[in-house]
DNA sequence: TTTTTTCTCCGTCTCAAGACGGAGGAAGCT
DNA sequence: AGCTTCCTCCGTCTTGAGACGGAGAAAAAA
């Protein structure tokens, strides 16, 4: 019997997954959790071999939970099942030690197969996600803005909010000349032409956290 | 018996909803669909009283499907169940004639209650969504960029991509002076100070469609 | 200790941005 | 026929943006 735990803040999703996992003879659903913290407790208690984990949850995220769980149970296979495949979700999850990465569009068969593969030591990566991973490896390994200094990142966030140099200087308690220096460095590091493009970059690449969902 | 149809592109979500709807004696799940087009066919065939509809689906969206369905079956109650409550999702859905609006964080009880209420003619609106509706009604009834002209909207999209006036003039085959005129009008209509803030606005308020799922 | 990185600031210079006002033509509405 | 809206373009003028080069101080790495 493979012991499986289901973590998702949506009751309907948990019930959906469980409803067809219970029909599998070799799979035993040992518990469910609706948050990262609950998941950690659940895993320490029931010690499942496999955890199906949603990334986007109300309290904190599934990424921290994944990291935490693997710290205590390194052999636990965590399968991410989420709706998104943008870079800001995928890569932190992989880094945190997630074993497989699937989308919620997956069918019942695919989920069951992923669980069996996980126990056998074979990860399953969603094709669309795999594509992104290839691109990342091919292109640059990391986002351009990763070689910005702390201060430059702060300035970039201000630019991303639409501030001008005057406002940024007031916000960060530095001179306008200094702001200009930072801006110039940011533009050349991000390889963009002006602050407008930098603002677009910031808003599209997760430098600014928008509060959707 | 209340005839209910379930529309969602995620199999696990459909199964999850159905798994506890079938335990309700008065509810009869007459079918499920995984896309907008399937949903329309399904409704025309089975004529359910209530449709549980996801908004974000792979083929087209649930909003068009909602509109289409109500054109043929005006008495059908469509309950939106989705993960998001941002303006770009909610208001088009309401305008399309959705009856209730719930989030996927809803519990089994809440869904069942929403179905019964729908049949009785009472809509259920998720509190967080209701808040946004109140704000919309109080503040402005519609987004500032809704009174931009066609041409101004095109220019705004260019700004949102980070183009400068020169590039916009080449893109739209108009003079730079004309671009400047449009930009000035856009800035005053959106009530922002410069093109950078306009670009931020465009990227945050759905003027630019990003390809995240 | 020396070297490198980072943050800070200065002056100069060029140019795109944007405000302001004016204007002609086309299309649609009353 | 008038009126309004929209798109187009013009000139002028002010100012913020950004490039370029230089530089001092502090902190971290070598």
């Amino acid at each position: 019997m493979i012991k499986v735990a289901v973590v998702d803040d949506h009751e309907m999703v948990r019930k959906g997954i469980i409803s067809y996992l219970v029909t599998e003879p070799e799979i035993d659903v040992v518990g469910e959790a609706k948050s990262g913290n609950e998941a950690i407790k659940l895993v320490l208690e029931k010690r499942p071999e496999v955890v199906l984990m949603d990334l986007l949850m109300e309290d904190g995220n599934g990424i921290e939970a994944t990291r935490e769980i693997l710290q205590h149970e390194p052999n636990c296979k965590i399968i991410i099942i989420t709706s998104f495949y943008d870079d800001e979700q995928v890569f932190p999850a992989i880094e945190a030690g997630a074993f497989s990465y699937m989308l919620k569009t997956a069918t019942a068969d695919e989920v069951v197969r992923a669980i069996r593969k996980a126990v056998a030591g074979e990860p399953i990566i969603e094709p669309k996600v795999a594509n992104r991973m290839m691109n990342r490896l091919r292109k640059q390994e990391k986002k351009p803005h990763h070689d910005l200094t702390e201060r430059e990142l702060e300035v970039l966030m201000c630019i991303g909010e639409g501030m001008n140099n005057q406002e940024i200087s007031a916000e960060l308690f530095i001179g306008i000349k200094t702001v200009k220096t930072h801006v110039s460095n940011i533009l050349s590091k991000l390889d963009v032409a002006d602050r407008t493009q930098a603002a677009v970059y910031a808003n599209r690449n997760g430098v600014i956290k928008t509060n959707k969902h």
Side-chain angles (χ1 to χ4, degrees), chain A:
Chain A
M1 287 293 269
I2 305 168
K3 289 195 289 184
V4 178
V6 179
V7 183
D8 196 305
D9 60 335
H10 302 345
E11 183 186 4
M12 56 186 72
V13 174
R14 291 200 306 276
K15 298 306 179 195
I17 294 174
I18 293 173
S19 74
Y20 53 68
L21 287 188
V22 293
T23 65
E24 292 293 320
E26 298 169 23
I27 291 177
D28 181 22
V29 179
V30 296
E32 50 184 297
K34 64 173 187 292
S35 71
N37 291 333
E38 280 189 24
I40 296 167
K41 279 184 207 162
L42 177 63
V43 170
L44 292 180
E45 255 181 57
K46 303 295 179 64
R47 299 179 173 268
E49 283 107 316
V50 177
V51 176
L52 299 181
M53 172 87 73
D54 186 22
L55 278 187
L56 227 67
M57 287 185 292
E58 302 233 314
D59 85 314
N61 50 27
I63 292 171
E64 283 175 38
T66 299
R67 215 187 317 270
E68 192 91 16
I69 288 172
L70 289 174
Q71 218 162 7
H72 297 97
E73 296 283 340
N75 294 325
C76 183
K77 309 292 186 192
I78 296 180
I79 301 176
I80 303 293
I81 305 189
T82 186
S83 308
F84 299 91
Y85 49 90
D86 52 283
D87 298 13
E88 265 55 58
Q89 295 288 333
V90 177
F91 296 101
I94 304 288
E95 284 164 27
F99 192 74
S100 295
Y101 198 104
M102 309 189 70
L103 292 184
K104 281 190 177 169
T105 49
T107 63
D109 287 339
E110 288 172 327
V111 174
V112 171
R113 200 178 313 130
I115 293 175
R116 290 193 208 286
K117 291 278 189 188
V119 173
E122 296 174 40
I124 299 278
I125 306 291
E126 165 72 21
K128 286 174 183 169
V129 174
N131 263 333
R132 297 233 171 189
M133 291 180 66
M134 301 297 282
N135 284 337
R136 158 89 41 137
L137 291 175
R138 240 179 272 134
K139 274 184 186 167
Q140 43 203 340
E141 186 65 31
K142 47 183 183 173
K143 291 275 174 142
H145 73 256
H146 281 180
D147 53 68
L148 293 184
T149 66
E150 274 302 311
R151 204 53 163 169
E152 285 163 353
L153 210 55
E154 290 182 79
V155 174
L156 179 56
M157 287 192 289
C158 290
I159 294 174
E161 295 292 344
M163 295 183 191
N164 61 24
N165 291 341
Q166 185 85 53
E167 292 166 328
I168 296 175
S169 115
E171 175 77 19
L172 301 180
F173 306 108
I174 55 180
I176 299 179
K177 296 294 177 58
T178 310
V179 176
K180 282 195 173 193
T181 305
H182 287 314
V183 172
S184 282
N185 292 334
I186 291 169
L187 298 186
S188 82
K189 284 187 182 178
L190 295 187
D191 195 32
V192 295
D194 51 43
R195 75 193 299 103
T196 303
Q197 289 183 8
V200 173
Y201 177 95
N203 278 277
R204 291 185 181 176
N205 294 86
V207 178
I208 311 288
K209 313 120 198 69
T210 54
N211 55 333
K212 289 203 171 182
H213 183 153

